[in-house]
Amino acid sequence: MSTLTYPEVGATRLGPLPEGYNHLHHRAAVGRGRAQFEAAGAAVTEWRMHRAAGAGVKSSASRADPRVAVEVSAGVGRIRVRALCEIVWTAYENDRIGFAYGTRARHPERGEESFVVELADDGTVWFTVTAFSRPACWYARLAGPLVPLAQHWYARRLGKVLRRIVSAA
């Protein structure tokens, strides 16, 4: 029995993104070549990218795999927003590494978000965040249009952080 809070499970992998949600798509070049692709993939799937971007991450496993429970938190001190998620799909392929998690009960939003690194034919390493979400609690509804703006800001931040991680590898 699923503990996810939305019916369109896997839509960030298969597309199209479902109607009735805010959509997010952010793509950024983060490196070049096989070594940087593998470094980026490990940073994404082992939670290092999120942690380096300032998010708290608790997980039932050391890397992303289907059905792994993840709690992502953000805030300052005791004032933190907790987001309970579950990994719904992963990609550990020759030229594509990443995962998506979906929202569980007590998550402020309802939907899915994917984080994928791809190695293009020209050697460019691309990082893509794709998401669909809508408010699931009173304070997310109250924040209104600020939530999608914050999600776009965070996606851009993840790209910059991942580029920094990859360049140091």
Side-chain angles (χ1 to χ4, degrees), residues 20-34:
Y21 294 85
N22 294 313
H23 294 172
L24 167 72
H25 184 81
H26 175 72
R27 187 172 189 232
V30 296
R32 289 199 60 77
R34 171 77 44 197

Side-chain angles (χ1 to χ4, degrees), residues 5 7 10 14-15 20 24-25 29 34 38-40 45 47 58 80 84 87 91 108 118-119 140 144-145 156 160:
T5 60
L14 304 173
L24 167 72
H25 184 81
R34 171 77 44 197
E38 290 174 3
T45 59
W47 326 118
K58 294 179 185 176
R80 298 193 74 74
L84 303 177
I87 305 297
E118 294 176 289
L119 180 60
R156 287 189 304 274
K160 291 175 186 173

Side-chain angles (χ1 to χ4, degrees), residues 3-4 45 47 51 56-72 82-90 99-107:
T3 60
L4 299 170
T45 59
W47 326 118
R51 288 184 176 122
V57 178
K58 294 179 185 176
S59 170
S60 64
S62 61
R63 80 174 202 164
D65 280 309
R67 293 183 299 284
V68 166
V70 181
E71 177 186 305
V72 181
R82 293 179 27 208
L84 303 177
C85 305
E86 180 179 320
I87 305 297
V88 296
W89 63 261
T90 58
F99 71 93
Y101 49 45
T103 57
R104 296 173 65 181
R106 296 192 315 250
H107 191 294

